[in-house]
Amino acid sequence: MTATSAQDISARYHFACDVARQAAELAYDFYQRRQQLAVEHKGDDLQDVVSQADREVEALTRRLIAQRFPLDDFLGEESGGSGGSAACTWVVDPIDGTACFLNGLHTWCVSIGVIVDGDPVIGVVYDPNHQEMFHACKGQGAFLNHDPIRVHAGSSLRDGVMGVGTSHRVTPEDFVPFISRLLHAGGMFIRSGSGALMTAQVAAGRLIGYYEPHMNAWDSLPGIVLVREAGGVSNDFLADHGLQRGNVLLMANAEIYSQLSELIQQKIK
């Protein structure tokens, strides 16, 4: 049996859901006593924070995965990568939306993706505040808990609300013009503070699409699987070393995607 067999992928899919649930339980326990957590800033970006909760939740996921699939690679936001060349790589953000988490907002989640032979095939986003698990495996559809989900059926930017994200990794000039064009086109947007959760909401049809000029792989890959399995499309995020360096992310249904691409006015692979 190879690591890319359907049976092996299915085993990882079900295990990813289990790990996300366990990670979310630990994260939510920290959330309830968040005032006690020590918080650090990453580099010079005062908006980019990490806490004991992030580190311990990631350590739990890494340990559980290593025990079950010891030959798989691991890439986490806080601990980096295992540096191997395995067929399967787990990509994890233990708490996406740490700033929201630390300030008592409900817009944060656990994000787990699995790449098999260079292709994103498993995506799980767990929102413990609402007990919602968005999950998908390539070829099997996308689900919210036990119910199938589909992307928004709108044909115009006026038909729904866009999710957007940005960070200090890009300049305002990389992002603000898109917002202006979106509003002039009659669209509207939200930014919740968790890109992974917003991409899952695109898959569930709650948001009409999502755009971020630069996003990290651990926040992007689960939503890419979810949206594609829910009938939507996304750009080739892994192009140009996206796994290691991050990339632009754009996703929506096919008709809206085309309209958004024109608003961004840049070549997206």
Side-chain angles (χ1 to χ4, degrees):
M1 180 185 298
T2 67
T4 55
S5 72
Q7 185 176 355
D8 251 13
I9 291 173
S10 181
R12 285 168 173 80
Y13 177 31
H14 292 295
F15 188 66
C17 293
D18 290 340
V19 170
R21 187 176 290 107
Q22 292 183 61
E25 288 175 358
L26 178 59
Y28 191 73
D29 179 64
F30 277 116
Y31 180 67
Q32 292 177 301
R33 45 192 177 92
R34 57 191 175 274
Q35 294 86 354
Q36 304 169 24
L37 296 175
V39 179
E40 301 173 17
H41 298 281
K42 298 181 181 179
D44 297 327
D45 187 353
L46 297 182
Q47 299 296 320
D48 197 359
V49 293
V50 61
S51 72
Q52 175 190 1
D54 298 86
R55 293 193 174 100
E56 292 200 21
V57 174
E58 182 166 312
L60 172 66
T61 62
R62 189 167 194 151
R63 183 171 64 253
L64 292 172
I65 293 165
Q67 289 171 349
R68 179 70 182 275
F69 299 106
L71 299 182
D72 288 3
D73 286 340
F74 183 95
L75 175 63
E77 178 177 14
E78 309 307 335
S79 61
S82 54
S85 56
C88 298
T89 300
W90 296 71
V91 186
V92 173
D93 189 342
I95 300 174
D96 182 49
T98 299
C100 300
F101 175 97
L102 293 171
N103 286 286
L105 298 171
H106 289 180
T107 48
W108 59 272
C109 65
V110 174
S111 172
I112 299 177
V114 181
I115 301 173
V116 178
D117 296 326
D119 186 26
V121 300
I122 296 168
V124 182
V125 172
Y126 194 101
D127 172 6
N129 285 288
H130 301 96
Q131 297 184 343
E132 291 187 330
M133 179 183 290
F134 305 83
H135 57 99
C137 184
K138 185 176 182 179
Q140 299 184 33
F143 300 86
L144 170 50
N145 294 334
H146 301 293
D147 298 323
I149 52 177
R150 298 290 293 177
V151 294
H152 199 288
S155 59
S156 164
L157 294 171
R158 298 173 183 266
D159 291 338
V161 179
M162 272 289 299
V164 298
T166 192
S167 71
H168 292 297
R169 294 186 300 274
V170 299
T171 69
E173 290 73 24
D174 294 319
F175 178 69
V176 173
F178 168 79
I179 295 297
S180 177
R181 297 181 195 116
L182 176 68
L183 294 173
H184 279 295
M188 186 48 66
F189 67 93
I190 64 166
R191 179 182 185 272
S192 74
S194 172
L197 189 54
M198 282 189 284
T199 63
Q201 291 166 342
V202 174
R206 297 173 179 175
L207 296 175
I208 201 168
Y210 184 80
Y211 168 65
E212 186 162 345
H214 182 274
M215 203 167 178
N216 289 314
W218 42 79
D219 301 326
S220 307
L221 293 176
I224 289 171
V225 180
L226 283 159
V227 167
R228 290 175 179 175
E229 288 300 305
V233 296
S234 75
N235 62 297
D236 182 6
F237 181 86
L238 292 177
D240 301 324
H241 307 286
L243 180 62
Q244 295 81 17
R245 301 176 183 173
N247 214 333
V248 60
L249 181 64
L250 179 65
M251 52 174 55
N253 69 35
E255 191 166 359
I256 296 297
Y257 184 94
S258 177
Q259 297 172 41
L260 291 170
S261 295
E262 293 181 6
L263 293 184
I264 294 170
Q265 296 184 351
Q266 72 178 69
K267 184 178 180 181
I268 299 179
K269 295 183 179 180

